[in-house]
Amino acid sequence: PPRSTLFPYTTLFRSRDIKILRHVMRARNMYFLLGNHETMMLHVTAPNGSVTPNLSEIHGRRAVNWLFQNGGAVTYHRYRLLKKRERKELLNWLNSCPVSTKVDVNGTTFFLTHTAFVKEVTDIPYKDMDSDIARYIVWYSPFREDIYKSIKDYAACRPWVFVIGHVPAYYLGKDRDSRISRSEERRVGKECRS
């Protein structure tokens, strides 16, 4: 990537700001990685960009999960305000984004992903990915017991440095007893793990 490349990744839809996402879409120096909120949106929205003003017309477990349990209702409202052409452009762009990438900087390999990874699956557009593998990458985490990805899998890839998010971590570094408070967590944001 160019020297001044920014890698904003994932959960922009959680912020519910379509304007920011459209800015990233147009920027030449930003490389966007999808996360679970974006993939949920892609599963729920109509591929042709059509919308409904009534959320009760959108059915299914995935729709309920995104719209009512993960902040998608506000996002969907703002998405509906776009012109149909703009919605289709946004959906096409999101489908062209990968869920993970590797970047070499000054001899160090960084692996950027929403949370989990599959070494052979980097820089592949979401639309071209196996849906089960994509779901695994954007949901499974070393920081959640219910959808667990072993931290040993990351360690086995040394000397790569992993930059992951999805679940706020409450400890920094090797000392799991060095927990951070909720207010510190908000400042820290995404953590780097190696």
Side-chain angles (χ1 to χ4, degrees):
R3 183 180 176 130
S4 62
T5 299
L6 177 64
F7 290 86
Y9 67 101
T10 70
T11 64
L12 281 181
F13 272 112
R14 188 166 200 142
S15 73
R16 302 172 180 101
D17 198 333
I18 297 292
K19 289 179 185 177
I20 292 173
L21 191 61
R22 293 185 71 224
H23 173 78
V24 172
M25 179 177 72
R26 291 188 203 101
R28 296 187 189 275
N29 67 332
M30 293 188 196
Y31 191 83
F32 187 72
L33 299 177
L34 297 184
N36 59 311
H37 291 263
E38 294 81 19
T39 60
M40 284 188 285
M41 179 184 177
L42 289 170
H43 283 284
V44 173
T45 55
N48 67 1
S50 63
V51 293
T52 178
N54 188 350
L55 291 180
S56 65
E57 294 176 12
I58 303 173
H59 302 285
R61 182 179 53 86
R62 284 182 170 169
V64 169
N65 185 28
W66 178 57
L67 292 169
F68 305 112
Q69 298 169 344
N70 283 281
V74 173
T75 303
Y76 188 76
H77 170 71
R78 292 183 180 164
Y79 169 78
R80 280 189 334 208
L81 298 176
L82 298 174
K83 294 176 182 158
K84 186 173 184 177
R85 173 188 50 78
E86 294 170 326
R87 292 191 300 265
K88 286 173 66 173
E89 178 185 36
L90 181 64
L91 295 176
N92 287 336
W93 175 72
L94 286 170
N95 272 298
S96 74
C97 293
V99 296
S100 61
T101 190
K102 277 193 318 189
V103 181
D104 290 309
V105 179
N106 298 329
T108 300
T109 299
F110 293 89
F111 197 105
L112 289 78
T113 183
H114 188 60
T115 189
F117 72 98
V118 174
K119 287 197 296 191
E120 301 77 24
V121 180
T122 59
D123 295 309
I124 296 175
Y126 179 73
K127 68 178 182 255
D128 297 333
M129 292 186 67
D130 175 88
S131 62
D132 291 333
I133 291 173
R135 183 182 186 287
Y136 171 75
I137 292 172
V138 301
W139 282 99
Y140 281 67
S141 170
F143 305 111
R144 280 187 61 173
E145 293 177 11
D146 59 333
I147 48 176
Y148 185 68
K149 163 81 171 159
S150 176
I151 197 77
K152 292 177 184 176
D153 294 341
Y154 298 86
C157 292
R158 284 193 180 115
W160 291 357
V161 175
F162 283 86
V163 180
I164 66 173
H166 184 70
V167 176
Y170 297 102
Y171 61 90
L172 301 172
K174 295 178 183 175
D175 183 6
R176 286 183 175 237
D177 292 327
S178 298
R179 298 192 181 272
I180 57 177
S181 70
R182 284 282 186 186
S183 61
E184 288 172 316
E185 170 194 323
R186 285 190 281 282
R187 285 197 317 268
V188 172
K190 305 291 183 221
E191 291 83 21
C192 295
R193 297 282 180 241
S194 60

